[in-house]
Amino acid sequence: MSGRGRGRGEGERTVRVRLDGVDRTGGAVDLAGRGVDPGTVLRSVRDPDDDRVDCPTPGPAHGRVGLVDGSSVPPLAALAAVARSLGERTSADGRIADLRAELRELTVPALEMRPVRERLAEARGQVEERRERVATLQGRLRAAREIGEAAAEHEAEERLADAVRALSEAETERLAAEEALDRTRCEAREARDARERRLELQDRLDNAEREARAELARRVRPRVDAAVVATPGSRATRFADADPVTARLAAVRTADLDAPVVLARRRFDGVERAAAWLGAPVIRV
């Protein structure tokens, strides 16, 4: 432990690592020289179902600086995550929570106009076909009556009655299809309004989150800058000017992390010193 006092006992930050034949427990686990991939260790730390690394649940700051390697770190996002880990809040937090809740509750139905239009086109086609059928049978019935063939007239009447019923059914289906299309068009307008509302809410949420990150970064930047100066091997005096390894180490030292940091760069004489300076459990690879 670094001695900075975060109100937690050593046992709460104990890590158990079972990787590549290694089974070690403690706040500082050294896997250096074993060819273990840092990404594998990091995924194991963050996956609660992966028992190769048994450790406390990582917080949001771990997602930003939980791996110390040579890759750059987004300054504003990293500083904000550090501040959040220390319990900092902002004036935008209430708005952010409200906007997120409204976005969760806002549903935009997925509508398919094509099937509804196809149904109507088919129904209209059926109506036209059956009207033609009725007209044809009406002509046959007139012809049968003109020549006085009773049997032919009776047969024509039955066929015409069937055709009229079929036409009535087709017209009923056409009306239903037209109503369905009207409803779908109305729902499509509502869906379009909902999409526009979602875009508006998302834009407001993005702005609020940017405002919160900026406020959080301002609050914690002096402490992180001080950690940059104290970082072994650092040549910078500000977080903004630090090399990626120094920036990550300074952020870790300032943050409150319970889950182990995966240390893939050498700045300390031994993993125990690294854990003590960082004030967090460490797995060195």
Side-chain angles (χ1 to χ4, degrees), residues 267-285:
R267 287 287 183 92
F268 301 95
D269 184 15
V271 67
E272 290 81 8
R273 288 193 177 184
W277 191 88
L278 292 169
V282 170
I283 302 174
R284 187 171 76 168
V285 296

Side-chain angles (χ1 to χ4, degrees), residues 96-210:
I96 290 172
D98 291 342
L99 288 166
R100 286 176 177 170
E102 193 169 352
L103 275 168
R104 282 194 302 269
E105 293 171 1
L106 183 63
T107 59
V108 179
L111 297 175
E112 284 286 345
M113 296 293 293
R114 183 175 177 179
V116 184
R117 290 194 177 102
E118 289 176 347
R119 175 189 175 188
L120 179 55
E122 183 179 354
R124 285 173 173 170
Q126 287 288 328
V127 168
E128 290 303 315
E129 289 178 8
R130 293 179 184 184
R131 279 178 179 169
E132 292 176 1
R133 174 68 172 166
V134 167
T136 299
L137 292 173
Q138 284 174 336
R140 291 179 182 176
L141 177 59
R142 282 195 299 270
R145 285 174 176 171
E146 287 174 0
I147 62 177
E149 292 185 3
E153 181 181 347
H154 179 70
E155 181 180 355
E157 287 176 344
E158 288 185 343
R159 289 185 177 181
L160 178 59
D162 291 341
V164 169
R165 282 194 296 272
L167 174 59
S168 177
E169 291 171 358
E171 288 176 337
T172 300
E173 169 59 16
R174 185 203 62 197
L175 289 173
E178 288 174 346
E179 291 173 357
L181 181 60
D182 289 340
R183 286 195 304 272
T184 304
R185 283 173 174 162
C186 181
E187 291 168 357
R189 287 192 294 270
E190 293 174 353
R192 184 171 59 250
D193 292 343
R195 283 193 296 271
E196 291 175 356
R197 177 61 176 165
R198 182 170 62 183
L199 290 172
E200 177 195 353
L201 290 172
Q202 188 61 56
D203 186 58
R204 289 169 56 191
L205 176 60
D206 292 343
N207 289 336
E209 288 178 337
R210 279 192 292 269

Side-chain angles (χ1 to χ4, degrees), residues 205-278:
L205 176 60
D206 292 343
N207 289 336
E209 288 178 337
R210 279 192 292 269
E211 179 184 328
R213 285 194 295 271
E215 184 177 338
L216 290 166
R218 285 194 299 271
R219 292 185 186 181
V220 80
R221 186 175 282 111
R223 281 175 281 179
V224 180
D225 286 346
V228 165
V229 174
T231 300
S234 173
R235 297 181 180 181
T237 58
R238 300 189 311 159
F239 182 75
D241 302 327
D243 64 89
V245 174
T246 297
R248 288 176 177 273
L249 289 172
V252 170
R253 179 174 170 84
T254 310
D256 190 356
L257 298 178
D258 290 332
V261 176
V262 180
L263 194 60
R265 288 293 186 272
R266 302 290 183 270
R267 287 287 183 92
F268 301 95
D269 184 15
V271 67
E272 290 81 8
R273 288 193 177 184
W277 191 88
L278 292 169

